[in-house]
Amino acid sequence: MILNKYFEEFELHEVRETGGRTITETDIVIHAGQTGDFFPHHMDAEWCKTQPFKQRMAHGTLIFSVAVGLTAGHINELAMTYGYERLRFTKPVFIGDTIKVKITITALKEHKKPGYGLVTELVETFNQNQELVMVCEHILLAKKKSA
Amino acid sequence: MILNKYFEEFELHEVRETGGRTITETDIVIHAGQTGDFFPHHMDAEWCKTQPFKQRMAHGTLIFSVAVGLTAGHINELAMTYGYERLRFTKPVFIGDTIKVKITITALKEHKKPGYGLVTELVETFNQNQELVMVCEHILLAKKKSA
Amino acid sequence: MILNKYFEEFELHEVRETGGRTITETDIVIHAGQTGDFFPHHMDAEWCKTQPFKQRMAHGTLIFSVAVGLTAGHINELAMTYGYERLRFTKPVFIGDTIKVKITITALKEHKKPGYGLVTELVETFNQNQELVMVCEHILLAKKKSA
Amino acid sequence: MILNKYFEEFELHEVRETGGRTITETDIVIHAGQTGDFFPHHMDAEWCKTQPFKQRMAHGTLIFSVAVGLTAGHINELAMTYGYERLRFTKPVFIGDTIKVKITITALKEHKKPGYGLVTELVETFNQNQELVMVCEHILLAKKKSA
Amino acid sequence: MILNKYFEEFELHEVRETGGRTITETDIVIHAGQTGDFFPHHMDAEWCKTQPFKQRMAHGTLIFSVAVGLTAGHINELAMTYGYERLRFTKPVFIGDTIKVKITITALKEHKKPGYGLVTELVETFNQNQELVMVCEHILLAKKKSA
Amino acid sequence: MILNKYFEEFELHEVRETGGRTITETDIVIHAGQTGDFFPHHMDAEWCKTQPFKQRMAHGTLIFSVAVGLTAGHINELAMTYGYERLRFTKPVFIGDTIKVKITITALKEHKKPGYGLVTELVETFNQNQELVMVCEHILLAKKKSA
């Protein structure tokens, strides 16, 4: 479970992919219940029929949470989340869609805190038709070996 | 429930605040179950005792999801989420903490899509001690009245 | 969120309607889990096929709970629930049905407690075919302005 | 599981009692998620501290649903719910309280539908201190043996 | 609810059957969330399409848990679970299948603990096509009347 | 996620340990809801106070399910569960206990199906005081490399 990795061990353009997860009606109902967001886009199938997308769609925060969860395979004790940037929901995710996440290291930068560097992971989430549904940058603060 | 508002009707420095929500052990267990993130920071009270923070903490994605949910009071049919920027988790949220969200309009910008403008909401989430635990910018794409 | 309203401010025949909510298989499974009511009417699709209604139906207490929840938009600090009367389940609700609630003020009465009056709300719950599935009277104890 | 009982087999003043059920924080969080009722009375421990009751309380619909569920031990194929009357929440139920239900047959009446009678069950719900927290009448439509 | 039964009151070849329970997508999603087992066999409909069974299947531990739960009708204060033997998952259970449990007393043995005997229940779980999907032996330690 | 391993690659006496998981009140409430087992041992804190163990305890099927889930780290496409033997619950697990699983290969046997062997894993579950709370044997049917 633990897979420690120093700043210097991250490689630019390195890519990893997660397994898939089907987004179910249950996920949407539980997410509404967790967040209190019962907007008709997610909870009212009749209203959705009157809209351009015709059917209920997943909450953006559900897709973000599941995507981040899919990437949480190993614990790296030498790095922690610094933040997220440029989070965009590029296409709706519908009930029955299956999402997967592709992570690419797109930047490695110095940080003002001595002994640490910043790793930028591009987090791309695709549906079963290889359409991008969500994208963001995950910034990690990683310890330097040389520190 | 519906409260329509054009781009021109958003005012710079306008502020609104949500009600509070206590983050419970249940929320963390359900969020782990929804995301598949069972990292010991959230699920293993014994391991947490050996760490600097001494106790289980909420997932960042849980705090983000609940905070966004707290702001979902009214539907504005004239605006949609464009994305989120600069998401940071500034302090851990522990079991029993109560969070509230303060939203401030911090920018109103033109957008290349004719008839639309971009509204920037600063989303600040505080715990019961008025400590900032999460902050991000929510960017809305809002229709212009004049369009 | 808070919308205070004195007894005198309620108007006879005043009507409000809620948004819709689709009753999903998930809702039924979670409600069985919450209440411990695993009767085959709700949980055994094979047995239901042998019955006149042919399919699983929602628990009455689920429809009552969701209907009351749909009406919980604003907090009125000047009124509290006194009770419910004449609760009837007039038609079964099946998986995939979408319910909405219509509330009509049908009576305004004096109460023995000085400074308070009783407001009767008729709570009618309809499915997507405008069929009444549940009805009851919600009695509120409301403070008088003149008190 | 099935325990068939005709109208004539119900006896006036007959009493039965259910087992107990502890109302947990989890029950309240799940009920909020099921109903969409996130009122601060149930979800905001900080706000509750400023109120007379000082702590979060269970939703009325949760107590009604659990109480009805506790009584759902056996299926009587010869009777069905006609409705509920005089539902009152007489005391708040707090996290950690344990409720039990006592059912007393209080009336047996003729019904206009030939071959059927109406059974009135008084449903009293008590907490661990034998305080009444909820009461209502459950009306059953029961087949007559003589029909 | 309580139905006390001494060791001597169990009869060899005695059979009882439970009611049915439909295994839903919700059950699988909740079980993944409870156990942390998000294997693609249960959670990734796209991957399942590439496998011989073509669709998502229930976790073995879900079927075992629900089957044991179905048998938990009455409390016998004179017996307790000693253990389970020969647990086998003989066929996959898919979303929408309905399971039932048949319990047969297959052995009654002396136990070294004076005043107690061992009861072996064969626990057979069938789907709606009367196909065996799970089988195990449940061993009970039961008090002797003669003790 | 995938870590393929042939029968010949399992080594007798090989040991691996999982991370820990705290068993919460939420887990018990969700498990009761999933299985329909609302026995007072798990759900009635008042009744438990009158019993030797004084407090609510986790369902055996919950501990078995979570323990099996904790071991589900990697997918081995060359092996599948054949069954479980000698499942025993040796000590109660209470709310707040943290469990961990130790897996030891205790037998490697030939199987009648040509090209396959049987691997026996001893699955020992311990609480935070290193007390054994559950034990069983997990039998795997594993492909032979030489097949």
Side-chain angles (χ1 to χ4, degrees):
Chain A
M1 258 241 187
I2 291 171
L3 209 113
N4 287 335
K5 209 171 161 175
Y6 283 102
F7 177 69
E8 291 89 342
E9 294 169 310
F10 286 90
E11 266 178 79
L12 206 65
H13 310 313
E14 207 183 305
V15 172
R16 67 189 173 97
E17 285 188 41
T18 70
R21 171 95 178 269
T22 302
I23 300 301
T24 64
E25 187 181 69
T26 304
D27 290 304
I28 293 176
V29 171
I30 290 176
H31 196 71
Q34 174 139 72
T35 60
D37 177 347
F38 286 76
F39 271 13
H41 313 69
H42 318 302
M43 304 307 277
D44 183 344
E46 293 298 316
W47 179 84
C48 287
K49 285 182 194 164
T50 70
Q51 298 296 309
F53 45 85
K54 299 292 177 207
Q55 54 181 306
R56 286 167 291 166
M57 57 168 83
H59 303 70
T61 49
L62 171 59
I63 298 309
F64 179 65
S65 296
V66 170
V68 169
L70 281 169
T71 69
H74 295 282
I75 301 169
N76 180 0
E77 297 168 320
L78 304 171
M80 54 172 296
T81 288
Y82 179 83
Y84 293 88
E85 300 285 345
R86 269 173 278 280
L87 173 56
R88 300 290 182 270
F89 300 102
T90 48
K91 259 185 183 290
V93 175
F94 299 113
I95 293 170
D97 282 358
T98 297
I99 63 171
K100 273 194 181 189
V101 183
K102 182 182 168 189
I103 301 118
T104 311
I105 310 287
T106 53
L108 295 164
K109 290 181 217 163
E110 293 301 311
H111 187 61
K112 58 188 176 199
K113 190 174 170 181
Y116 285 83
L118 289 176
V119 181
T120 302
E121 293 182 335
L122 182 71
V123 178
E124 292 170 298
T125 304
F126 297 94
N127 67 15
Q128 69 279 6
N129 303 317
Q130 278 68 55
E131 296 168 312
L132 187 74
V133 297
M134 189 207 90
V135 63
C136 70
E137 287 171 10
H138 178 209
I139 317 294
L140 290 157
L141 185 67
K143 221 175 186 157
K144 287 189 179 175
K145 209 176 200 161
S146 53
Chain B
M1 258 242 187
I2 292 172
L3 209 112
N4 288 335
K5 209 172 162 174
Y6 283 101
F7 177 70
E8 290 90 341
E9 293 169 310
F10 287 90
E11 266 179 79
L12 207 64
H13 309 313
E14 208 184 303
V15 172
R16 66 189 174 97
E17 284 189 42
T18 70
R21 169 95 178 268
T22 302
I23 300 300
T24 65
E25 187 181 68
T26 305
D27 290 305
I28 293 176
V29 172
I30 289 176
H31 196 73
Q34 175 141 73
T35 61
D37 178 348
F38 286 77
F39 271 14
H41 312 69
H42 318 301
M43 304 306 277
D44 183 345
E46 293 299 316
W47 180 84
C48 287
K49 284 181 196 165
T50 70
Q51 299 294 310
F53 46 86
K54 298 291 178 208
Q55 54 180 306
R56 285 167 291 165
M57 58 168 83
H59 303 71
T61 49
L62 171 59
I63 299 309
F64 179 65
S65 296
V66 170
V68 169
L70 281 169
T71 68
H74 295 283
I75 301 169
N76 180 359
E77 297 168 319
L78 305 172
M80 54 172 295
T81 288
Y82 179 84
Y84 293 89
E85 300 285 344
R86 266 173 281 281
L87 173 57
R88 300 289 182 272
F89 300 102
T90 48
K91 257 184 185 289
V93 175
F94 299 114
I95 293 170
D97 281 358
T98 297
I99 61 171
K100 274 194 183 192
V101 184
K102 182 182 168 189
I103 301 118
T104 312
I105 309 286
T106 52
L108 294 165
K109 290 180 216 162
E110 293 300 312
H111 187 58
K112 57 184 177 200
K113 190 175 171 181
Y116 284 85
L118 289 175
V119 180
T120 301
E121 294 182 335
L122 182 71
V123 177
E124 293 171 298
T125 305
F126 297 94
N127 66 16
Q128 69 279 7
N129 303 317
Q130 280 67 57
E131 297 168 312
L132 187 74
V133 297
M134 189 208 89
V135 63
C136 70
E137 288 171 9
H138 179 209
I139 317 294
L140 291 157
L141 184 67
K143 223 175 186 159
K144 288 189 178 173
K145 211 179 200 158
S146 54
Chain C
M1 258 242 188
I2 292 171
L3 208 113
N4 288 336
K5 209 170 161 175
Y6 284 102
F7 177 70
E8 291 89 342
E9 295 169 309
F10 287 89
E11 267 178 79
L12 207 65
H13 309 313
E14 204 184 306
V15 173
R16 66 188 173 97
E17 284 188 43
T18 71
R21 171 94 178 270
T22 302
I23 300 300
T24 64
E25 187 181 69
T26 305
D27 290 305
I28 294 176
V29 172
I30 290 176
H31 196 72
Q34 176 140 72
T35 62
D37 178 347
F38 286 76
F39 271 14
H41 313 69
H42 318 301
M43 303 307 276
D44 183 343
E46 293 298 317
W47 180 83
C48 288
K49 284 182 195 165
T50 70
Q51 298 294 310
F53 45 84
K54 299 292 178 206
Q55 54 180 307
R56 285 167 291 165
M57 57 168 83
H59 303 70
T61 49
L62 171 58
I63 299 308
F64 179 65
S65 296
V66 171
V68 170
L70 281 169
T71 69
H74 295 282
I75 301 168
N76 180 0
E77 297 168 320
L78 304 171
M80 54 171 295
T81 288
Y82 179 84
Y84 293 88
E85 299 286 345
R86 267 173 280 280
L87 173 55
R88 300 289 182 270
F89 300 101
T90 48
K91 258 185 184 290
V93 175
F94 299 114
I95 293 170
D97 281 358
T98 297
I99 62 172
K100 273 196 182 189
V101 184
K102 181 183 168 188
I103 301 118
T104 312
I105 309 286
T106 53
L108 295 165
K109 291 181 215 160
E110 293 301 310
H111 186 60
K112 57 186 177 200
K113 190 173 170 181
Y116 284 85
L118 289 175
V119 180
T120 302
E121 292 182 336
L122 182 71
V123 178
E124 293 171 297
T125 305
F126 297 94
N127 67 15
Q128 69 281 6
N129 303 318
Q130 278 67 56
E131 297 169 311
L132 187 75
V133 297
M134 189 208 90
V135 62
C136 70
E137 288 172 10
H138 179 211
I139 318 294
L140 291 157
L141 185 67
K143 223 177 186 155
K144 288 189 179 174
K145 210 177 200 161
S146 53
Chain D
M1 260 244 187
I2 291 171
L3 209 113
N4 288 336
K5 210 172 162 175
Y6 284 101
F7 177 69
E8 291 90 342
E9 294 170 309
F10 287 89
E11 267 178 79
L12 207 63
H13 308 312
E14 207 184 303
V15 171
R16 65 188 174 97
E17 283 189 43
T18 70
R21 171 94 178 269
T22 302
I23 301 300
T24 63
E25 186 182 70
T26 305
D27 289 305
I28 294 176
V29 172
I30 289 177
H31 196 72
Q34 174 140 73
T35 61
D37 178 347
F38 286 77
F39 271 14
H41 313 69
H42 319 301
M43 305 306 277
D44 183 344
E46 293 299 315
W47 180 84
C48 287
K49 283 181 196 165
T50 69
Q51 299 294 309
F53 44 86
K54 298 291 178 208
Q55 53 181 307
R56 285 167 291 165
M57 57 167 82
H59 304 71
T61 49
L62 171 59
I63 298 310
F64 178 66
S65 296
V66 170
V68 170
L70 281 169
T71 70
H74 295 282
I75 300 169
N76 180 0
E77 298 167 319
L78 304 172
M80 54 171 296
T81 288
Y82 179 84
Y84 294 88
E85 300 285 345
R86 269 173 278 281
L87 173 56
R88 299 289 181 271
F89 300 101
T90 48
K91 256 184 186 289
V93 175
F94 298 114
I95 293 171
D97 281 358
T98 297
I99 63 171
K100 273 195 182 190
V101 184
K102 182 182 168 190
I103 301 119
T104 311
I105 310 286
T106 54
L108 294 165
K109 290 181 215 160
E110 293 301 311
H111 187 59
K112 57 184 179 201
K113 190 174 169 180
Y116 284 85
L118 289 176
V119 180
T120 301
E121 294 182 334
L122 182 70
V123 178
E124 293 171 298
T125 305
F126 297 95
N127 66 16
Q128 70 279 6
N129 302 319
Q130 280 67 55
E131 297 168 311
L132 187 75
V133 297
M134 189 209 88
V135 63
C136 70
E137 288 171 9
H138 178 210
I139 318 294
L140 290 157
L141 184 67
K143 222 175 186 158
K144 287 187 177 175
K145 211 178 199 157
S146 53
Chain E
M1 259 244 188
I2 290 172
L3 208 113
N4 287 335
K5 208 171 162 175
Y6 283 102
F7 177 69
E8 291 90 341
E9 294 170 309
F10 286 89
E11 265 178 80
L12 207 64
H13 310 312
E14 206 183 304
V15 172
R16 66 187 174 99
E17 284 189 43
T18 69
R21 169 95 178 268
T22 302
I23 301 300
T24 64
E25 186 182 69
T26 305
D27 290 304
I28 294 176
V29 171
I30 289 176
H31 196 72
Q34 174 140 71
T35 61
D37 178 347
F38 287 77
F39 271 13
H41 313 69
H42 318 301
M43 304 306 276
D44 183 344
E46 293 298 316
W47 180 84
C48 288
K49 284 181 194 166
T50 70
Q51 299 294 309
F53 44 87
K54 299 291 177 207
Q55 54 179 306
R56 285 168 290 165
M57 58 167 84
H59 303 72
T61 49
L62 171 59
I63 298 309
F64 179 65
S65 297
V66 171
V68 169
L70 281 169
T71 71
H74 295 281
I75 300 170
N76 180 0
E77 297 168 319
L78 305 171
M80 54 172 294
T81 288
Y82 179 83
Y84 293 88
E85 300 286 345
R86 268 173 280 280
L87 173 56
R88 299 290 181 271
F89 300 101
T90 49
K91 257 185 186 289
V93 175
F94 298 113
I95 293 170
D97 281 358
T98 297
I99 62 171
K100 273 193 183 193
V101 183
K102 182 182 169 189
I103 300 118
T104 311
I105 309 287
T106 53
L108 295 164
K109 290 181 216 162
E110 293 301 311
H111 187 60
K112 58 188 178 199
K113 190 174 170 182
Y116 284 85
L118 289 176
V119 181
T120 302
E121 293 182 336
L122 183 69
V123 178
E124 293 170 297
T125 305
F126 297 94
N127 67 15
Q128 69 279 8
N129 303 318
Q130 279 68 56
E131 296 168 313
L132 187 75
V133 298
M134 189 208 89
V135 63
C136 70
E137 288 171 10
H138 178 210
I139 318 294
L140 291 157
L141 185 67
K143 221 174 187 160
K144 287 188 177 174
K145 209 175 201 162
S146 53
Chain F
M1 260 241 189
I2 292 173
L3 209 113
N4 288 335
K5 209 170 161 176
Y6 283 102
F7 176 70
E8 291 89 340
E9 294 170 309
F10 287 89
E11 265 179 81
L12 207 63
H13 309 313
E14 206 184 304
V15 173
R16 67 189 172 96
E17 284 188 43
T18 70
R21 170 94 180 268
T22 302
I23 301 299
T24 64
E25 187 182 69
T26 305
D27 290 305
I28 293 176
V29 172
I30 289 176
H31 196 72
Q34 174 140 75
T35 62
D37 178 347
F38 286 76
F39 271 14
H41 313 69
H42 318 300
M43 305 305 278
D44 182 344
E46 293 298 315
W47 179 84
C48 288
K49 284 181 195 165
T50 70
Q51 299 295 309
F53 45 85
K54 299 290 177 208
Q55 53 181 307
R56 285 166 292 166
M57 58 168 83
H59 303 71
T61 49
L62 171 59
I63 298 309
F64 179 65
S65 296
V66 171
V68 169
L70 280 169
T71 69
H74 294 282
I75 301 169
N76 180 0
E77 297 168 319
L78 304 172
M80 54 172 296
T81 287
Y82 178 85
Y84 293 88
E85 300 285 345
R86 268 172 278 282
L87 173 56
R88 299 290 181 270
F89 300 101
T90 48
K91 258 185 184 288
V93 175
F94 299 114
I95 294 170
D97 281 359
T98 297
I99 62 172
K100 273 194 182 192
V101 184
K102 182 182 168 189
I103 300 119
T104 311
I105 309 285
T106 53
L108 295 164
K109 289 179 216 162
E110 292 302 311
H111 187 58
K112 58 186 176 197
K113 190 174 170 181
Y116 284 85
L118 289 175
V119 180
T120 302
E121 294 182 335
L122 182 70
V123 177
E124 293 171 297
T125 305
F126 297 94
N127 66 15
Q128 69 280 7
N129 302 318
Q130 279 67 56
E131 296 168 312
L132 188 74
V133 297
M134 190 208 88
V135 63
C136 69
E137 287 171 10
H138 178 210
I139 318 293
L140 290 157
L141 184 67
K143 222 174 186 161
K144 287 188 179 174
K145 209 178 201 161
S146 53

